[in-house]
């Protein structure tokens, strides 16, 4: 019975314990909040090491997040699908089913990863998909996401072309490749490289970056080299050998890491990772340097751009934990597999999605329009639309946190880039030599400062070949390849450039001023360049055609009389000009009739000759009028006075007169007349035949320009109609047109570059002159491709030439500069053959005439006022007697003039001896007051002549005392 009691007690205790356990479990269950499972699809190429690395990171992100957030109401449940590295792999049945949907034509078909995505959406009804791994797999998935409203989140598809699809349900939790181009450009510009070769893969990954890279390197010439994803080793070598023959030595490589490192291995094999070579890796390749235990030996000296991952304790802890977990999950793989930044972005993507799911409304997780009638997992016609997708996308776009890879922040559903590191592979390490940020640009990794000196922008760099000297970025190929130089075929001006081709050997030779300058510049380069000339016949002698030959790569350079213009500089780079710049006008100096006997009459018109002669007579008369009473030079017999007056007037023209004028009025007239002659002769010397463009247009004069020159467009812009423009091809043809003139079918002026006009003057310096106006141009230069390194070197060589004696010798050789300087007058001061007319100088004649007339009026008024007593004296009788008396007074000397008073004073001051006056001495007695002034003058004059006669017959009186001149006979 005791046994029965004991058994009953044990049974009771067992049931009691069971009851308590159930109660506790019930209490625990009631105390916990219910969780919602959110399905998330993951598409990866699980056969690849890259995907295995990222999958481990995804799983760790889930466990770490919910361990840190145990109270979250939601849980992500990932459904992994293996795409097996296929991009477009689908069965015929799948393709047929896809075409039943409403997909845009020409956009490709789903297969591999795309078919898996369809399965995840239709059968699993996932709320989001993580993937795909590559940009090539992404396009169809993005379009499918847009239709089903299921967000696609990628952590490794970086092509900028995916953004152009413009799907609101595509979220890029990785950096767009275009984010790094500014950093790449900063590195290139900091070292002054002017040309780079972009080596990229022929798919969405490679093509997507090229447009952005070209824009960032707008001042740098970018060559392109495309390599297929399926390229064999021989094909890669063939492309590298091709690149080795060009001048550029800076290579920017952007492709999948597996293909990219094959290219580097082959480049090292053929000596393209030696001194003077530069290799710059894009972000994707730089982040995968140590992928799958890859050795860095083949990448010594290369540079790389890599997004900055800030160091943190959390990151180091995760790296250790990831290493242990990865080796546990993949025991057969190598131990040296390293964590990469894409795995960190995968970790942060799951974290962001988990946060967004928790913040969004999960009450509506169903799909609309899902048909259960179809059993095919890839039938697009039965694809449903997620009701949860829009709210999940909205929540995901607002997520911001500090992740393992740095700040996680989305802008327009794209991860925001912040900082890039510039690394240099040295030994077995990746040295950070600089950083780049959008705000500060490129900074030195040591000083953290941005400077203007390229050598201080980055830390010490070890270049390929263990060189420490900065490569110049280019070099002339060493395989003996000649550069192809185009030379224009000209109709004339062969002293500038002339090209000929031997019909037997087909060898083209070039000579001329431009060729000598070019070859002399090449000799001054620090390397050997052998030009091979090609004759280029451009349509209508248009040099723009030659420029485009360089632009499209047909020619390596163009040498000749190529004018540097803004339009041409948009396609090619020009060296410094080697000639004088500017467009000027050439006009005739004198007519070709210079052998005519009467050629000296040509400069003045007939009316100008007649007017000038009349003014000679007038001025001679006016000067005599004012001077003959007070100036002994203008006295004497009538014929002597007339001759003196005309001599004075004519000699004033050449400023050779010897007579002096003493009256103020005569001086006033002579000054006006001399100023008139000075202006007259000066204008005659400086005025050319034509100086004004407006006059040429208004008068309908024809003007010339050289065949094919841009000057024609300039003349049209100035307002010349097409009918007034005539082309010439040589100096001889220009001379003929100028000699004929507009009236004979020629031209009145020629417009061209100063260099051409001087070439014409070297042959016809006595006939023409260069005059204004002048239009600014840059002169002649040599054309090279944009950003060609030879442009700067040849420019420096030209600068050295222009400052030395060699340039003078070349000019003398082709233009006879020495004989030109000695035989030809300065064209700016040479006489023109333009006939001068009266209309050009009527103002000067008017001034001289008015001055003479005013002086004449003043003289006549003063004379009449001085002798008014003669006119008013009634004793003279008739008016005729009065006028006769005035004329006699006018013809006599003015003894009151200071010129005669000085002589009288001089005679009176002679010493007087104490002797008895001679009987012959003239005694001056007072004249009766009733005697008129005229009568007094006549008597005194007669007395004076008598005293002169006595002095002549009795000279001894001079020995004893003052002569009779003392009596003041002339007063």
């Amino acid at each position: 019975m005791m046994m029965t009691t004991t058994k009953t007690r044990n049974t009771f205790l067992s049931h009691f314990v069971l009851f308590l356990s159930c109660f506790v479990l019930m209490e625990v269950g009631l105390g916990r909040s219910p969780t919602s499972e959110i399905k998330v699809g993951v598409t990866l190429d699980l056969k690849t090491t890259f995907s295995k690395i990222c999958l481990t990171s995804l799983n760790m992100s889930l466990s770490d997040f919910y361990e840190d957030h145990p109270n979250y109401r939601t849980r992500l449940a990932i459904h992994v699908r293996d795409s097996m590295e296929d991009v477009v792999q689908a069965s015929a049945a799948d393709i047929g089913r896809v075409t039943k949907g409403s997909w845009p034509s020409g956009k490709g078909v789903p297969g591999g990863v795309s078919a898996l995505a369809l399965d995840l959406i239709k059968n699993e009804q996932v709320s989001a998909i993580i993937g795909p791994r590559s940009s090539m797999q992404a396009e169809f998935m993005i379009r499918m996401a847009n239709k089903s409203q299921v967000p696609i989140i990628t952590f490794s598809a970086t092509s900028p072309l995916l953004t152009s699809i413009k799907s609101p349900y595509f979220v890029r939790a990785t950096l767009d490749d275009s984010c790094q181009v500014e950093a790449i450009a900063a590195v290139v510009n900091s070292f002054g490289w002017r040309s780079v070769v972009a080596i990229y893969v022929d798919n969405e990954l490679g093509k997507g970056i090229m447009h952005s890279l070209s824009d960032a390197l707008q001042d740098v010439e970018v060559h392109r080299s495309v390599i297929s994803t399926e390229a064999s080793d021989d094909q890669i070598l063939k492309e590298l050998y091709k690149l080795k023959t060009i001048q550029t030595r800076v290579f920017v490589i952007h492709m999948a890491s597996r293909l990219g490192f094959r290219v580097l291995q082959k480049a090292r094999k053929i000596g393209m990772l030696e001194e003077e070579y530069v290799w710059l890796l894009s972000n994707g390749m730089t982040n995968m340097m140590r992928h799958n235990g890859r050795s860095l030996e083949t990448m010594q000296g290369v540079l790389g751009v890599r997004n900055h991952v800030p160091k943190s304790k959390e990151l180091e802890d995760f790296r250790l934990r990831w290493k242990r977990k990865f080796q546990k999950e993949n025991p057969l793989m190598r131990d040296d597999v390293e964590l990469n930044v894409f795995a960190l972005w995968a970790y942060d993507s799951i974290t962001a999605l988990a946060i967004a799911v928790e913040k969004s409304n999960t009450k509506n997780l169903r799909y609309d329009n899902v048909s259960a009638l179809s059993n095919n997992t890839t039938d697009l016609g039965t694809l449903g639309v997620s009701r949860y997708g829009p709210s999940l996308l909205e929540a995901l776009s607002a997520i911001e946190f500090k992740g393992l890879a740095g700040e996680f922040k989305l802008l327009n559903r794209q991860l925001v880039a912040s900082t890039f590191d510039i690394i240099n592979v040295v030994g077995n390490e990746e040295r950070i030599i600089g950083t780049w940020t959008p705000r500060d640009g490129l900074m030195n990794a040591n000083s953290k400062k941005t400077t203007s000196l390229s050598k201080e922008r980055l830390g010490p760099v070890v270049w390929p070949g263990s060189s420490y000297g900065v490569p110049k970025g280019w070099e002339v190929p060493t395989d003996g390849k000649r550069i192809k130089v185009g030379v224009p075929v000209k109709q004339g001006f062969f002293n500038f450039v002339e090209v000929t081709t031997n019909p037997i050997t087909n060898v083209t030779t070039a000579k001329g001023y431009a060729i000598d300058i070019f070859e002399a510049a090449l000799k001054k380069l620090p390397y050997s360049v052998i030009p091979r000339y090609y004759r280029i016949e451009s349509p209508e002698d248009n040099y723009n055609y030659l420029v485009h030959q360089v632009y499209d790569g047909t020619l390596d350079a163009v040498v000749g009389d190529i004018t540097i213009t803004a339009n041409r500089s948009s396609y090619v780079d020009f060296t410094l000009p080697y000639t004088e710049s500017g467009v000027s006008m050439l006009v005739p100096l004198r007519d070709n009739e210079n052998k005519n006997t009467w050629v000296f009459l040509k400069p003045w018109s007939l009316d100008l000759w007649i007017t000038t002669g009349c003014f000679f007579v007038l001025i001679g008369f006016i000067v005599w009028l004012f001077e003959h009473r007070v100036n002994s030079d203008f006295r004497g017999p009538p014929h002597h006075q007339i001759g003196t007056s005309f001599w004075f007037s004519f000699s004033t023209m050449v400023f050779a007169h010897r007579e002096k004028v003493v009256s103020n009025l005569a001086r006033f007239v002579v000054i006006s007349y001399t100023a008139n002659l000075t202006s007259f002769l000066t204008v005659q010397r400086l005025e050319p035949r034509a100086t004004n463009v407006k006059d040429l247009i208004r008068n309908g004069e024809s003007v010339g320009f050289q065949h094919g020159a841009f000057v024609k467009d300039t003349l049209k812009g100035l307002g010349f109609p097409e009918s007034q423009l005539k082309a010439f091809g040589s100096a001889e043809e220009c001379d003929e047109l100028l000699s004929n003139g507009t009236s004979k079918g020629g031209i009145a002026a020629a417009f061209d570059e100063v260099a051409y006009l001087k070439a014409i003057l070297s042959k016809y310096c006595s006939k023409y002159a260069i005059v204004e106006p002048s239009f600014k141009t840059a002169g002649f230069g040599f054309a090279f491709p944009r950003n060609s390194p030879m442009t700067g070197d040849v420019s420096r060589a030209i600068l050295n030439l222009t400052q030395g004696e060699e340039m003078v010798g070349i000019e003398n050789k082709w233009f006879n500069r020495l004989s030109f300087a000695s035989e030809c007058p300065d064209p700016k001061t040479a006489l023109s053959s333009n006939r001068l007319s009266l209309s050009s100088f009527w103002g000067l004649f008017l001034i001289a005439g008015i001055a003479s007339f005013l002086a004449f009026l003043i003289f006549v008024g003063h004379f009449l006022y001085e002798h008014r007593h003669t006119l008013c004296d009634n004793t003279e009788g008739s008016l005729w007697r009065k006028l006769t008396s005035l004329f006699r007074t006018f013809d006599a000397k003015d003894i009151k003039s200071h010129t005669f008073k000085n002589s009288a004073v001089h005679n009176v001051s002679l010493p007087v001896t104490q002797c008895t006056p001679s009987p012959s001495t003239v005694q001056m007695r007072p004249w009766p007051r009733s005697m008129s002034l005229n009568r007094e003058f006549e008597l005194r004059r007669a007395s004076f002549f008598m005293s002169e006669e006595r002095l002549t017959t009795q000279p001894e009186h001079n020995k004893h005392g003052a002569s009779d001149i003392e009596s003041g006979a002339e007063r």
Side-chain angles (χ1 to χ4, degrees), residues 249-301:
R249 291 292 180 263
V250 180
F251 302 98
V252 177
I253 184 168
H254 176 72
M255 55 185 61
S257 60
R258 185 189 312 177
L259 178 61
F261 292 118
R262 283 177 61 205
V263 172
L264 287 176
Q265 288 175 348
K266 301 305 176 185
R268 181 181 179 87
K269 180 179 179 180
I270 64 175
M272 293 182 68
L273 261 78
E274 302 297 333
E275 289 189 40
E276 294 301 326
Y277 281 90
V278 178
W279 291 86
L280 180 57
L281 309 185
S282 64
N283 181 49
M285 287 192 63
T286 308
N287 278 306
M288 299 295 290
M289 278 185 174
R290 296 186 181 273
H291 178 64
N292 202 19
R294 184 177 290 112
S295 174
L296 299 182
E297 292 181 0
T298 60
M299 293 176 280
Q300 293 299 301

Side-chain angles (χ1 to χ4, degrees), residues 490-501:
K490 296 183 64 65
Q491 300 180 12
F493 294 99
F494 296 121
N495 46 357
F496 278 98
V497 61
E498 182 179 8
V499 58
T500 57
T501 301

Side-chain angles (χ1 to χ4, degrees), residues 402-705:
K402 185 177 181 181
L404 291 180
E407 292 294 331
F408 187 95
K409 179 181 180 180
L410 298 176
L411 180 64
N412 296 326
R413 300 174 301 281
Q414 302 273 343
L415 187 65
V416 177
S418 57
T419 305
F420 285 92
D421 292 331
I422 313 302
I423 68 166
N424 179 210
V425 178
V426 181
N428 198 37
E429 62 177 320
E430 306 157 34
R431 295 181 182 175
I432 297 177
I433 59 174
T435 58
W436 180 90
T437 62
R439 186 187 68 178
D440 300 324
L442 193 62
M443 296 184 295
N444 190 297
N446 298 324
S447 64
K448 299 298 182 182
K449 294 181 179 179
T450 301
T451 66
S452 59
L453 301 176
S454 61
K455 65 180 181 180
E456 297 180 8
R457 282 190 176 272
L458 298 174
V461 181
V462 179
W463 303 97
S466 300
S467 172
Y468 290 90
V470 177
K472 61 178 178 290
W474 69 279
E475 67 177 71
V476 176
T478 58
D479 60 352
K481 178 183 176 182
R482 297 170 180 260
I483 62 171
K484 295 186 292 184
V485 179
V487 181
V489 177
K490 296 183 64 65
Q491 300 180 12
F493 294 99
F494 296 121
N495 46 357
F496 278 98
V497 61
E498 182 179 8
V499 58
T500 57
T501 301
N502 191 314
I504 300 177
T505 62
N506 201 31
V507 175
T508 300
T509 58
K511 62 180 181 179
Y513 176 68
I515 302 300
D516 282 2
I517 295 293
F518 178 67
E519 293 183 349
L522 293 184
K523 292 178 182 178
K524 292 184 177 293
L525 299 180
Y527 45 85
S528 176
V529 177
I530 304 174
R532 183 175 181 181
Y533 297 112
Y534 293 83
R535 56 182 293 133
I536 306 297
E537 297 186 22
S538 55
E540 298 181 359
D541 296 327
N542 191 339
Y543 282 7
N544 292 337
Y545 176 77
L546 278 79
V547 170
H548 281 280
Q549 293 277 297
V550 177
Y551 175 71
D552 62 21
T554 304
L555 298 172
D556 297 323
V558 169
V559 174
D561 47 346
I562 314 293
T563 303
I564 304 172
T565 64
N567 179 53
R568 294 170 181 173
S569 297
S570 301
Y571 300 94
V572 297
D573 283 345
F574 283 96
T575 62
L576 288 175
Y578 62 89
T579 62
E580 186 176 351
S581 61
V583 173
S584 287
M585 182 169 66
L586 187 74
V587 296
L589 281 177
R590 54 178 63 89
D591 293 333
N592 291 332
E593 302 172 0
N594 53 6
K595 295 183 179 180
N596 192 299
T597 304
W598 306 103
V599 69
F600 67 92
L601 298 176
K602 292 291 184 180
W604 292 356
S605 61
L606 179 62
D607 56 352
L608 185 57
W609 275 115
I610 294 175
T611 305
T612 304
C614 292
F615 258 79
F616 284 154
V617 175
L618 173 64
I619 297 303
F621 170 74
I622 293 296
V623 171
W624 171 84
L625 188 70
F626 298 158
E627 289 292 308
H628 81 285
R629 300 188 68 235
V630 296
N631 192 339
S632 300
D633 290 337
F634 288 86
R635 297 199 59 78
H639 66 276
H640 176 74
Q641 295 186 41
I642 294 173
T644 300
S645 300
F646 278 101
W647 162 257
F648 179 85
S649 179
F650 278 97
S651 61
T652 305
M653 182 177 182
V654 293
F655 312 105
H657 50 281
R658 63 179 182 179
E659 294 81 9
K660 295 181 180 180
V661 290
V662 297
S663 67
N664 290 331
L665 290 176
R667 288 171 178 171
F668 172 68
V669 172
V670 170
I671 289 174
S672 301
Y673 178 59
T674 304
N676 181 43
L677 286 177
T678 302
S679 302
F680 183 56
L681 297 176
T682 303
V683 173
Q684 176 192 355
R685 181 173 182 81
L686 294 181
E687 185 176 333
R689 175 175 293 183
T691 60
N692 195 302
V693 173
K694 294 182 180 179
D695 290 341
L696 292 172
I697 298 174
R698 183 175 57 253
N699 297 333
E701 299 281 2
S702 297
V703 296
F705 65 95

Side-chain angles (χ1 to χ4, degrees), residues 856-875:
F856 175 76
L857 289 180
I858 293 173
F859 175 80
V860 172
H862 181 268
F863 179 79
L864 292 178
Y865 177 79
E866 185 180 9
H867 299 88
R868 62 187 180 279
H869 300 291
T870 302
L871 292 176
C872 297
D873 190 359
N874 295 326
T875 60

